[in-house]
Amino acid sequence: DGGITQSPKYLFRKEGQNVTLSCEQNLNHDAMYWYRQDPGQGLRLIYYSQIVNDFQKGDIAEGYSVSREKKESFPLTVTSAQKNPTAFYLCASSWGLGEKLLFGSGTQLSVL
Amino acid sequence: GENVEQHPSTLSVQEGDSAVIKCTYSDSASNYFPWYKQELGKGPQLIIDIRSNVGEKKDQRIAVTLNKTAKHFSLHITETQPEDSAVYFCAAWNTGNQFYFGTGTSLTVIP
């Protein structure tokens, strides 16, 4: 079955540590996105990518980095510069910008 | 940028009643409006969407209406069932190359 796979489901970060969240899709979608979800808030865009080796910052990119070396993969690194990383992180993909989003099941990141 | 406001933040209805969730947007250039349902600990799932050239769209018990002049759109769920209980998000897509999401409505259907 086609879909988006995020891993791990739960992740813990120690002070000063970088952590990487995985996102893989087998839908042949061109566009991929990372969103952050905090309780009681809407989804906020961190980064998005339209094509391989190209990505753009969203509204809250500070303290995060991404790469898009393969069409099916869009990993997100939460760096030590992100001082408030505790949140639910969602990866999504679509055929193109402005098309229907399909979301993964999310990764809950917490700080130890 | 775009600003999407969603109301109410919580909604409780009796099973079988209707539920209505409303969203307003600020940018008249926005032209695509999806609605997502999110269950606890899961990713959002698209349930219905509408484009700006259409005023209403229906899919079984779910409908969405769009008023471009007033810049608001609404989700209507009829004959609610306990499995409709979830958080619902609206969103708007504009030429700024991103979706803007509402803050969510927690719907509880009481059996």
Side-chain angles (χ1 to χ4, degrees), chain A:
Chain A
D1 284 338
I4 297 181
T5 302
Q6 286 188 242
S7 62
K9 190 165 179 62
Y10 301 96
L11 187 58
F12 297 91
R13 193 191 89 168
K14 294 180 181 178
E15 201 72 36
Q17 186 183 41
N18 293 352
V19 293
T20 297
L21 285 61
S22 171
C23 179
E24 304 275 333
Q25 55 98 0
N26 60 2
L27 301 160
N28 203 32
H29 282 174
D30 287 318
M32 297 187 74
Y33 314 77
W34 275 105
Y35 288 92
R36 171 176 170 144
Q37 186 175 29
D38 294 281
Q41 297 192 31
L43 280 65
R44 293 183 290 166
L45 184 64
I46 305 172
Y47 271 99
Y48 68 96
S49 168
Q50 294 185 71
I51 56 172
V52 174
N53 292 323
D54 185 58
F55 45 83
Q56 306 296 326
K57 292 182 179 180
D59 292 336
I60 57 165
E62 186 174 348
Y64 300 97
S65 66
V66 294
S67 63
R68 186 90 185 273
E69 297 177 1
K70 297 185 297 182
K71 187 175 185 178
E72 58 269 25
S73 179
F74 192 41
L76 173 74
T77 296
V78 183
T79 75
S80 57
Q82 172 50 248
K83 298 305 179 188
N84 183 24
T86 297
F88 191 54
Y89 290 86
L90 287 160
C91 179
S93 71
S94 65
W95 287 112
L97 293 184
E99 298 297 325
K100 301 182 185 195
L101 290 178
L102 182 68
F103 284 90
S105 56
T107 293
Q108 176 64 50
L109 175 62
S110 303
V111 177
L112 287 176

Side-chain angles (χ1 to χ4, degrees), chain B residues 28-65:
Chain B
S28 56
S30 292
N31 58 14
Y32 173 53
F33 307 93
W35 284 90
Y36 292 89
K37 175 183 180 182
Q38 186 177 26
E39 297 176 345
L40 195 62
K42 297 183 179 179
Q45 181 181 14
L46 179 70
I47 55 171
I48 197 166
D49 56 3
I50 192 167
R51 297 201 179 265
S52 58
N53 58 348
V54 176
E56 183 174 359
K57 186 176 177 181
K58 204 171 181 182
D59 183 5
Q60 299 183 352
R61 297 187 295 109
I62 295 173
V64 56
T65 58

Side-chain angles (χ1 to χ4, degrees), chain B residues 37-40 81-88 106-110:
Chain B
K37 175 183 180 182
Q38 186 177 26
E39 297 176 345
L40 195 62
Q81 301 167 2
E83 51 265 39
D84 294 330
S85 296
V87 178
Y88 292 81
S106 178
L107 173 65
T108 301
V109 179
I110 304 165

